[in-house]
Amino acid sequence: MHYEFAFYQVRPSSTPSVSEPHEIASYSLSEDHTFHLDERQLKYYYPPLPYSDLNSGYPDKYHPPKAGAYPISTAKDILEKKHINAKAELFTWRGLITKIMCAPLYPKSQWELKLRMEPDSGTIFMEEGESSEKPYENQDRMCYWGYKFEVISTLPTIWDACSRSVIEGRDNQPVIPDEQYCSIVKYHIGRTRLILAGEVDCVWDAKPGVTPDSDLDGKVDSHVEQSEALSPREESLPDPKRRKLEETHDSSDPSPTLENPSPHYCELKTSKKQPLDHVGMRRKLLKFWAQSYLLGIGRIVIGFRNDDGILTEIKELPTRQIPNLLRPYAKPQDWTANRLLVVLEQELDWLKKCVQKHPPNTKFTLQYSGNGKLVLRVHPHN
């Protein structure tokens, strides 16, 4: 049995309501894939030197990411470890919702995701499935360019607390993609309540509630108490608003007196620069926007580079400005941020209805083969 969702059958609609993605937990991930309930991997943005060479350190100082995707249960474990009882209809990684949202932009892409509904909570958990993406030419080096840009654009604490040698020595640091700082957010898109987890590259200014000076000691000291570690493994877009007080709350609901950290975060990207009338550039910027928008990240810094991996320009953009930036160049047939949100809302509604027709713990595969539609396949019980 299977169900289909076709993008071209989605009718024009008003943009769905979107609440503010609000961080309910965060954690650090070490190179050895150990999770820590602290800020040891939290980084702070500081611009790199102009015309930096993104090839520097390759491959001698490169620690390639380990193969394999984390199960979404790891993020659930973080919430349980922090005694956060968060309720949602869909619990997944930010990158997977980005795939679903941006699928119309990439008609030649192919991927699949795995889904199941937990019997007690009714929450649908989604995680990575089998990959059929073919590697592209020079892929390893180009991935390194992106990781290298992150290293030379960040500091271990706020800049005025860093020594000159730390600031100027970033180019000599090892590139270790598996060292990550991650955020878990809760919000709704239309009628769907979500919990998303995803990597945060850095903080633009400062994270509310974190004292950078004291935090620096934790980053230098690798000792972790056993109790703190887990086992290894403007376009007319909705302006996110805090949930109304009369809405149902749970133990993860933020206090109205606490500032949300999410808008203080910053996403770091690299790209070859092309004019905005180039459809490939518009698609890439829309995907950058979607990745940050879905996690509530306030700013995106793009390091434009040439074909040789040399930085030629750095552009710092508030996330919400990108749809307006692209609007004058959009063609009538183009996908826009507004259209992608409309489709995403209906995709999520469709997924929920299909999954809820079946008993809990039924296994599903969500497939995209670049043919303008999603296919949800139901796997019979063994």
Side-chain angles (χ1 to χ4, degrees):
M1 178 184 295
H2 73 276
Y3 305 92
E4 295 185 355
F5 180 97
F7 307 138
Y8 51 82
Q9 292 180 345
V10 174
R11 297 179 179 179
S13 175
S14 59
T15 308
S17 63
V18 181
S19 66
E20 178 185 21
H22 205 291
E23 183 178 279
I24 56 176
S26 59
Y27 61 93
S28 295
L29 177 63
S30 300
E31 184 183 7
D32 63 358
H33 283 197
T34 300
F35 294 81
H36 305 277
L37 307 184
D38 56 30
E39 276 72 38
R40 71 184 61 205
Q41 299 297 349
L42 183 63
K43 302 294 193 297
Y44 295 79
Y45 175 68
Y46 190 77
L49 292 175
Y51 303 103
S52 293
D53 184 358
L54 299 178
N55 297 283
S56 176
Y58 181 86
D60 297 342
K61 294 188 176 182
Y62 184 32
H63 300 216
K66 296 178 176 64
Y70 292 106
I72 191 58
S73 58
T74 58
K76 182 184 177 184
D77 290 343
I78 295 291
L79 297 184
E80 292 177 352
K81 193 75 174 180
K82 292 195 170 189
H83 308 291
I84 297 172
N85 180 26
K87 301 175 183 178
E89 295 164 289
L90 181 62
F91 195 141
T92 188
W93 301 108
R94 177 266 309 264
L96 305 190
I97 296 297
T98 303
K99 277 189 175 183
I100 295 174
M101 183 177 183
C102 295
L105 298 175
Y106 298 97
K108 295 182 180 180
S109 183
Q110 296 186 28
W111 45 260
E112 71 175 43
L113 309 176
K114 298 183 295 185
L115 296 87
R116 68 172 179 84
M117 184 172 68
E118 193 175 62
D120 296 332
S121 65
T123 299
I124 300 169
F125 289 88
M126 180 190 296
E127 53 194 22
E128 198 77 63
E130 298 296 325
S131 175
S132 59
E133 295 285 352
K134 297 180 180 179
Y136 51 84
E137 185 180 359
N138 210 22
Q139 178 174 342
D140 190 60
R141 183 179 289 269
M142 294 180 75
C143 287
Y144 177 82
W145 290 348
Y147 297 136
K148 179 70 175 183
F149 181 65
E150 294 178 16
V151 170
I152 64 174
S153 300
T154 55
L155 297 169
T157 187
I158 54 176
W159 73 270
D160 58 351
C162 284
S163 66
R164 182 172 179 175
S165 62
V166 169
I167 295 173
E168 295 180 351
R170 291 177 291 173
D171 189 52
N172 297 319
Q173 295 299 309
V175 176
I176 311 175
D178 283 328
E179 291 185 344
Q180 299 176 12
Y181 185 75
C182 301
S183 174
I184 303 176
V185 302
K186 176 184 175 182
Y187 63 116
H188 72 75
I189 296 176
R191 294 178 293 273
T192 302
R193 292 172 293 136
L194 303 101
I195 295 176
L196 300 185
E199 181 185 2
V200 170
D201 291 332
C202 59
V203 175
W204 173 259
D205 42 17
K207 178 175 179 177
V210 173
T211 304
D213 289 342
S214 61
D215 184 45
L216 185 58
D217 295 334
K219 296 177 183 181
V220 175
D221 184 2
S222 60
H223 174 73
V224 190
E225 293 296 331
Q226 194 65 31
S227 62
E228 294 180 349
L230 295 177
S231 59
R233 291 288 345 168
E234 290 127 359
E235 183 176 341
S236 56
L237 296 174
D239 186 14
K241 297 178 174 62
R242 292 184 184 275
R243 294 187 294 280
K244 297 178 181 178
L245 291 179
E246 62 266 23
E247 291 187 28
T248 302
H249 282 50
D250 59 41
S251 64
S252 70
D253 282 329
S255 165
T257 61
L258 296 179
E259 184 179 0
N260 181 16
S262 302
H264 292 266
Y265 291 142
C266 179
E267 186 86 7
L268 302 173
K269 294 293 184 182
T270 55
S271 174
K272 180 179 178 180
K273 188 172 186 179
Q274 294 172 309
L276 292 180
D277 58 8
H278 188 284
V279 64
M281 189 78 252
R282 294 198 300 276
R283 285 176 180 171
K284 182 171 287 191
L285 288 175
L286 269 179
K287 186 176 181 181
F288 289 172
W289 164 79
Q291 289 174 314
S292 293
Y293 184 85
L294 289 171
L295 209 60
I297 294 172
R299 288 180 182 267
I300 302 173
V301 176
I302 306 173
F304 289 107
R305 47 86 184 164
N306 62 21
D307 290 334
D308 296 321
I310 305 299
L311 280 181
T312 58
E313 182 183 350
I314 297 173
K315 192 77 173 177
E316 301 169 352
L317 293 168
T319 301
R320 299 188 62 82
Q321 278 189 9
I322 289 181
N324 283 330
L325 182 69
L326 299 178
R327 189 181 349 176
Y329 302 92
K331 305 295 189 294
Q333 70 276 15
D334 275 1
W335 287 93
T336 63
N338 183 74
R339 288 183 66 195
L340 291 177
L341 272 174
V342 170
V343 172
L344 178 62
E345 177 193 29
Q346 297 187 35
E347 286 170 333
L348 296 178
D349 284 344
W350 167 77
L351 269 179
K352 286 190 301 181
K353 290 176 183 177
C354 293
V355 171
Q356 291 167 358
K357 291 179 181 178
H358 298 268
N361 282 330
T362 300
K363 295 181 180 180
F364 303 85
T365 300
L366 181 65
Q367 297 176 325
Y368 178 62
S369 299
N371 53 5
K373 62 184 178 183
L374 300 176
V375 178
L376 182 68
R377 300 193 181 279
V378 185
H379 300 285
H381 289 285
N382 295 328

